[in-house]
Structures are given as C-alpha cells and as structure tokens.
Amino acid sequence: MFDPQQIRTHFPIFSHRPELIYLDNAATTQKPISVIRAISDFYEKENTNVHRGIYEMAASTSQKYEEVRQKTADFIGAAKKEEIVFTSGTTASINLVAQSFLIPRLETGDEVVISMMEHHVNLIPWQQACKLKGAKLVVAPINKAGELDLKIFKSLLSERTKLVAVTHVSNTLGTINPIGEILEMAHKRDIPVLVDGAQSAAHFDIDVEAWDVDFFVFSGHKMYGPTGVGILYGKEEHFTKMLPVHFGGNAIREVRFEETVFALPPRCFEPGTPNIAGVIGFGQAIDFVSSFDKKGVKYHLQRLTELATEKLQKVKGVKIVGTAKNKSPVISFTLGNVHPHDVATFLGAENIAVRAGHHCTQPLMDFYKIPGTSRISFAIYNTMEEVERMAIVIKEIQRFFNGR
Ligand code: PMP
C-alpha cells in the first residue's frame, strides 16, 4: 500500500518545516535522509579523491564511485557502465553533446530538430552550434493542448537533419512525448536522438537500450538526489567517436608536450575531481527511487494531478496551460489577469511552494501569448490534503484580486 505519510518520514525537511506544502518538485525534489547521510558519511568517514590513491580508503572510494556508475547503467537499462558519464547536471550533459558530438559533425545547411516545448538548455546549445556552423534550428510545432503533431514532426526530418533533441516530459506543460515514435521516425533516417529525461527519470520506466536512444540526459536533484550531479548516457558507438572538449587531469592515458592520448570513455569526459560525494548520494537516490513500486507511485501522482486539475478548473479565471492527454504530474495555470508572481507570492505566504514564471521555456510562453504561468508539480510525498489546501488558497487569491 502506497502511503505518502510514511514516505514523508524519510524526508527531514518536513519535520523541520511541518507547515511546508512543497509543490515545486519539477524545480528540485526534497532529499531523503538516506541521501543526506550518504553524503555526510562520505565526508566524515572516508573522504578521498577517486582514481588516484592506491591506499585502501582511496581505492574503496573509487570502487564506490564506479559502483554508482554501474547502478546508474542498471537503473536506465544501459548495456554497459562505460556508457554513463557523470556530469554536473542535465545542463552540462546537453552542452557536452553539443560540443563534443554535434559541432564536429555539423556543416553548413544541416539542420537540428527540436520541439516547441524544450527547456532553454535543450535549445540554446543547439541554436549556438547552428549559428557557428551555418546550420538551421528547426522547431517542431505543438497544438494548443501542448502535444506534438507527429505528422509534421516526421515531415521536418530529412537527410539534412543531424540530430533530434526532444524532452521526454515537458517541465512547463507536463506533456509526455511519444519518445518511441520519435525515435522510430528519426532512426529510419539514421538520425541520432537525444532525449532530455530531466523530468522523467524520477518516476518513469527508463530503458535506454530497449528504446535504442542515442543520448539520454538527466539530473540527480530532480529524483531525490543531490544537486551538482547529472548523467549523460551515450551509446558506446557514439562515445568512442567523440573527442573530449574539457581537458584536465585524470582523463588521459599519456601526456607529452607535443601530444595527449586520452583515456577511454567515459573517463575522457570526466576531467578533474568529480562531485564524488554527490555521486555517492546519487547512488542512494537510485536505491530510494527503486525501492518503490513504480505502478503505485504513478497511480498516486496521477490521483494528485487529477484532484488538483479538478479543483483548479472550478476556480473562476483559472486556465490550465498544457492539457495533453498524456500528462505527468505538472500543472501550469494562469489566473485571470493576476500575475503568476503574485499567485506564487500569495501561496508562499501560506507556506505553499510553487514556481512562477516562464520556467526556462520562453518560446513556449510566446506560443501561448502569456508572460508566464504558476506551476504546481508533485512528488511521492505530496498528499491529497495538500492539494485541497492549495485549491482553497487559490480560491482566496482569486477573490482577493477580483473582489468576488
Ligand atoms: N530539462 C528540463 C526538462 C528541465 O526541467 C530542467 C530543469 N528545470 C533542465 C533540463 C535543466 O536541468 P538542470 O538545471 O538540473 O541542469
């Protein structure tokens, strides 16, 4: 039986702040005690660098670090741990692919296809790469509900397309994109595909090998792990052809003044001292997420989303932005002429944390002709009571601003 009250006991923040209603999980999730302990234990009891020392403690740290790489590979269904690169987050992962994979392959007249709903980080690196090389960024449109039109998407793919980069789940609309179909369409034309899993890694079944995805990226902090740790999954066939773009210690085989021989992937992509404690904490986050029945989690998040949608729709002036049939637990909305920042400030005064703004998707806001939205996003520890309370406060905000 899925019991959010019991799950809350894993999260110390809720005992420090019993009044907190945290509905900003798409920005970052709270951290369970197991993750926090793993990080503080590392610093307290076995702090060393990795891949350098040969004394017992250092060797043990290196081993633990590499065990998390294997755990990550297992978690997302990668064939080999060498297909996992630790980065500082989704942002760093996408930038690495742009610089190391795309730019060397991109030529004048080539195209990169993204969607209208991408987070800025799944847009700007490709846009800048295209500018640099005289290539074109092609944007696949969406309908008003926030769904991709797959027929149009298919028509945008051609022999000029050098990469497709799409999000699995939209952080603003909650839309779950049909990744399987997109991959099939792109692969029929031998186009590699990057999937941004920042909003899906925590609660979705990820199977990169079964999907045959070329690159899959996500952040630890949106799946109950620490900030500053992210993942770049890449197919071995791509990694072995990519050259590193960041250089430094620990990522090499041999260095002479004339020439450097780089280490094999993934090490060549991880120069310098990595976020060791973060990676160890991230390993605990994977254990934490894996300890729940995914179906139970999905059902719980769906119930929260349905209740919140139903309650919000009853408030005069509320317009939900993003009404895709297939939606994750993210709800963006506007409230008449009330500025989203006023909504978030008012909710904040009642200890209800939500995000307001453009959510790093400004072109998407332009499409809807709005400056921003207020956004509610759920995680496993949220409760139906919290949704009820949030809806009451939204109603109060509506009355306050509109006097009715
Ligand atoms: N992509 C999506 C869909 C996101 O929601 C986010 C975070 N809001 C990112 C990318 C960037 O993630 P990070 O800031 O952890 O690098």
Side-chain angles (χ1 to χ4, degrees), residues 90-91 119 121 167 171 196 198-199 219 221-222:
T90 306
T91 297
H119 186 283
V121 75
T167 194
N171 61 308
D196 175 354
Q199 293 295 337
S219 300
H221 72 95
K222 291 182 199 280

Side-chain angles (χ1 to χ4, degrees), residues 31 49 86 152 159 192 211 272 307 365 384-385 389 400:
K31 318 303 172 202
N49 214 319
F86 290 123
I152 301 181
E159 66 284 354
W211 296 351
L307 181 68
M365 297 294 101
M384 302 298 259
E385 293 74 27
R389 175 75 192 129
F400 178 83

Side-chain angles (χ1 to χ4, degrees), residues 26-27 88-94 117-122 167-172 196-199 217-222 229 355 359-360 375:
S88 61
T90 306
T91 297
S93 300
I94 293 180
M117 70 182 88
E118 297 311 317
H119 186 283
H120 291 165
V121 75
N122 205 22
T167 194
H168 190 182
V169 172
S170 159
N171 61 308
T172 304
D196 175 354
Q199 293 295 337
V217 296
F218 59 104
S219 300
H221 72 95
K222 291 182 199 280
V229 181
R355 167 101 187 259
H359 316 291
C360 300
R375 183 188 67 186

Side-chain angles (χ1 to χ4, degrees), residues 102-111 130 133-136 160 162:
L102 184 69
I103 289 179
R105 285 162 183 74
L106 205 59
E107 289 173 11
T108 308
D110 283 346
E111 295 179 351
C130 287
K133 292 300 194 89
K136 189 175 161 200
R160 292 184 298 276
K162 287 292 163 329

